[in-house]
Amino acid sequence: MAHLIRHKLTNKLTNAAHTVSNKSQAKVSGVFARLGFQAATDEEGLGFAECDDLDYDYRQGMQMDVLQGEEEGGHMEGGGELEGDSHYQRDGTGRRPSSLKPSVSLDVDKPRITSWEAGWNVTNAIQGMFVLGLPYAILHGGYLGLFLIIFAAVVCCYTGKILIACLYEDNEDGIKVRVRDSYVDIANACCAPRFPALGGHIVNVAQIIELVMTCILYVVVSGNLMYNSFPGFPVSQKAWSVVATLALLPCAFLKNLKAVSKFSLLCTLAHFIINVLVIAYCLSRAREWAWEKVKFYIDVKKFPISIGIIVFSYTSQIFLPSLEGNMQKPSEFHCMMEWTHIAACILKGLFALVAYLTWADATKEVITDNLPSTIRAVVNLFLVAKALLSYPLPFFAAVEVLEKSLFQDGGRALFPDCYGPGGQLKSWGLGLRIALVVFTLLMAVFVPHFALLMGLTGSLTGAGLCFLLPSLFHLKLQWRNLMWHHVFFDVAIFVIGGICAISGFIHSIEGLIEAFRYNIHD
């Protein structure tokens, strides 16, 4: 009897929800549709209605189950649970019952991270190895470079928030529902209905390039630092890179983000020790600081590369949808973003300024190369440890993107699923992960130019994923909810980000060509 009543109520509610959804979409069409802005696609509108149906089923079904349990003497404890009743999440993070497989574990069993663990992951991403190149940006930008460190922190924090806002839409009750799960879902929603998969392909390519380039940079800097730390050893930089890669092979066995969070905590400790050692040495030479060397003009040819370095040092947007979706309390995401970027802005600005004041015009691309040989070896060892511990986060994210786009895209996947029925990774899937680690080694060996690679990546994918796409997606998907100042901020960020991306990309390419032509090594 309970199933019959529920079936009738569901049919009535579904019809009503579809009618209201059609009316609401008709209201926001017209001039916005001609401009290219739309409230939601047909698929998303259907998703909202299904969420409402499931929520009603959940509330009514639990009441019916209680009554039925009382009538049957409490036999509902074992096998009387209906599919989707107790597993549906009101915020939309749960999967619909129709997509669940009996042999697949539910999202409830997936390890969740706290806001502090998420903050450590973001901190490790935006205060990583690449802070060592910021004094070089001050060298070519002066006070403008210092301003850009602050400006990039503010913009990246804002774009991170609006990117997560694009994951949600208001349902018929005015409640925020998570209707998208990733950066790719947001891009696909913006390109629908004409090109429903184009945006996802673009974002996937950009994400993979940036994540793999980040891994390559960690291998490059590890080999470089070990070679400079022990110049008397008969070991080349390429050989040190091979040794570093051997230590990174266990990354192929990572299963979830919980393990990556533990590495991030260790990275933060290593980063703290490095900063203390470098800043302590700089403070010991405070009387020799060259304030007169900090200029207001810029090097027109080299400063665009510095812009890419600054932007790349703040890139974390590609991790954010996954982090927010794995948080125990997603409502704390905004607060987490604010304190992480405020801390990053202060620490990066002070580190870059103090280091530049100490060495002035002699500042090198990697600031630890300016340290005396005795201190340099100790600092470089910590830097290598930090690089190796930082590698798992972008590697794990790159593996997730590749697996979802190539192996787990339902019937549209190009290759068979790399996971078995019980969720275990197949042997050939593990081989592909190991091949990705080896690929980062090969790239690090043949293109060992740390600063130029970082500037190129920051100008190309960093600016696109952190500045251009979030602002464009926010305008597209949230147009009906935006105030005039939100529109102004999004348009300004898009224009400024586009200019910086084009100029930085051109000058980074020129630098790489020059380095290969004259056989220049970092």
Side-chain angles (χ1 to χ4, degrees):
M1 185 64 181
H3 294 289
L4 181 59
I5 294 175
R6 183 184 307 173
H7 182 69
K8 292 181 179 180
L9 291 174
T10 301
N11 290 337
K12 292 181 180 180
L13 188 62
T14 301
N15 294 333
H18 288 175
T19 302
V20 174
S21 178
N22 292 334
K23 291 181 179 180
S24 61
Q25 290 186 22
K27 291 180 180 179
V28 297
S29 61
V31 61
F32 293 142
R34 289 192 295 270
L35 290 174
F37 297 97
Q38 52 189 3
T41 62
D42 295 338
E43 292 82 359
E44 291 161 6
L46 181 59
F48 302 151
E50 290 179 359
C51 286
D52 291 337
D53 294 344
L54 289 172
D55 181 60
Y56 186 84
D57 285 348
Y58 170 73
R59 289 184 272 108
Q60 296 296 327
M62 291 301 291
Q63 295 175 5
M64 294 292 185
D65 291 341
V66 171
L67 293 176
Q68 186 176 351
E70 292 176 354
E71 293 175 359
E72 298 180 0
H75 292 155
M76 290 296 294
E77 295 180 3
E81 182 178 336
L82 294 175
E83 182 185 13
D85 278 352
S86 61
H87 304 298
Y88 169 67
Q89 298 179 8
R90 188 68 182 92
D91 60 357
T93 57
R95 301 197 311 192
R96 295 195 291 272
S98 59
S99 64
L100 289 175
K101 299 179 181 179
S103 60
V104 179
S105 61
L106 296 170
D107 289 344
V108 177
D109 300 329
K110 189 176 182 179
R112 298 282 174 173
I113 60 177
T114 65
S115 59
W116 284 102
E117 289 175 323
W120 287 127
N121 276 299
V122 174
T123 299
N124 183 50
I126 64 178
Q127 297 197 134
M129 295 288 299
F130 313 112
V131 69
L132 301 177
L134 294 181
Y136 188 73
I138 303 296
L139 171 65
H140 297 296
Y143 287 107
L144 182 57
L146 190 63
F147 168 77
L148 282 177
I149 293 176
I150 302 173
F151 178 76
V154 174
V155 172
C156 288
C157 181
Y158 172 77
T159 56
K161 292 179 180 179
I162 64 176
L163 182 66
I164 297 303
C166 292
L167 297 174
Y168 293 83
E169 293 285 354
D170 294 331
N171 66 1
E172 300 300 333
D173 297 328
I175 301 175
K176 292 290 184 181
V177 178
R178 200 177 202 263
V179 297
R180 307 176 188 99
D181 294 325
S182 64
Y183 211 141
V184 173
D185 292 341
I186 297 173
N188 285 335
C190 288
C191 294
R194 293 184 178 179
F195 307 101
L198 177 62
H201 293 325
I202 295 175
V203 170
N204 270 337
V205 172
Q207 286 187 110
I208 292 172
I209 291 175
E210 175 150 329
L211 292 168
V212 174
M213 286 297 296
T214 302
C215 295
I216 293 170
L217 286 169
Y218 284 137
V219 178
V220 170
V221 76
S222 297
N224 180 272
L225 291 173
M226 290 300 295
Y227 178 74
N228 290 329
S229 299
F230 305 100
F233 280 32
V235 182
S236 65
Q237 179 177 337
K238 296 180 180 180
W240 280 119
S241 298
V242 173
V243 173
T245 305
L246 291 176
L248 295 172
L249 283 178
C251 293
F253 298 90
L254 287 174
K255 295 182 178 180
N256 55 59
L257 201 61
K258 191 76 174 179
V260 178
S261 298
K262 297 178 182 178
F263 289 117
S264 297
L265 292 173
L266 295 176
C267 285
T268 304
L269 177 61
H271 179 77
F272 176 77
I273 296 174
I274 293 167
N275 283 350
V276 168
L277 291 175
V278 175
I279 292 178
Y281 177 80
C282 293
L283 291 176
S284 67
R285 298 182 53 185
R287 294 183 179 180
E288 304 174 12
W289 283 357
W291 287 96
E292 69 280 359
K293 295 291 185 178
V294 185
K295 49 188 177 296
F296 287 94
Y297 62 89
I298 63 175
D299 187 331
V300 178
K301 184 178 180 180
K302 294 185 178 181
F303 184 65
I305 302 176
S306 302
I307 295 177
I309 295 174
I310 294 173
V311 172
F312 189 73
S313 70
Y314 279 106
T315 53
S316 65
Q317 272 70 4
I318 51 181
F319 310 127
L320 297 183
S322 177
L323 284 176
E324 195 264 354
N326 282 278
M327 289 178 64
Q328 295 175 357
K329 297 180 180 179
S331 59
E332 298 178 353
F333 176 81
H334 279 206
C335 180
M336 181 271 296
M337 285 291 292
E338 290 170 359
W339 68 259
T340 52
H341 282 74
I342 289 174
C345 175
I346 295 173
L347 293 177
K348 286 183 177 182
L350 290 177
F351 182 87
L353 181 60
V354 168
Y356 175 74
L357 290 174
T358 302
W359 289 285
D361 293 338
T363 301
K364 298 182 179 180
E365 293 182 356
V366 179
I367 196 61
T368 55
D369 291 340
N370 289 102
L371 293 172
S373 57
T374 53
I375 304 177
R376 186 192 312 161
V378 177
V379 173
N380 284 353
L381 288 177
F382 278 105
L383 285 173
V384 171
K386 178 173 174 54
L388 298 179
L389 292 172
S390 300
Y391 186 97
L393 180 59
F395 177 82
F396 180 77
V399 167
E400 272 198 330
V401 173
L402 288 171
E403 288 180 351
K404 289 181 179 179
S405 58
L406 299 179
F407 302 97
Q408 298 176 343
D409 195 14
R412 297 173 297 177
L414 298 177
F415 305 100
D417 199 342
C418 55
Y419 289 92
Q424 73 276 11
L425 184 65
K426 295 180 180 178
S427 57
W428 63 269
L430 178 61
L432 291 177
R433 290 188 174 196
I434 296 176
L436 181 59
V437 177
V438 175
F439 174 76
T440 60
L441 167 65
L442 295 177
M443 288 294 296
V445 168
F446 290 104
V447 192
H449 302 284
F450 179 76
L452 292 175
L453 282 177
M454 186 163 61
L456 176 64
T457 308
S459 300
L460 182 60
T461 60
L465 293 172
C466 294
F467 291 175
L468 304 181
L469 294 183
S471 57
L472 181 62
F473 294 164
H474 194 228
L475 288 170
K476 178 83 171 181
L477 296 175
Q478 302 291 326
W479 176 263
R480 68 184 187 277
N481 299 324
L482 298 182
M483 303 293 290
W484 69 268
H485 57 278
H486 293 146
V487 176
F488 174 78
F489 290 154
D490 291 347
V491 173
I493 290 172
F494 185 85
V495 173
I496 296 175
I499 295 174
C500 294
I502 294 173
S503 61
F505 176 77
I506 293 174
H507 287 86
S508 296
I509 291 295
E510 291 178 350
L512 283 173
I513 294 174
E514 182 179 352
F516 279 104
R517 178 179 298 173
Y518 298 103
N519 197 23
I520 300 174
H521 298 282
D522 285 349

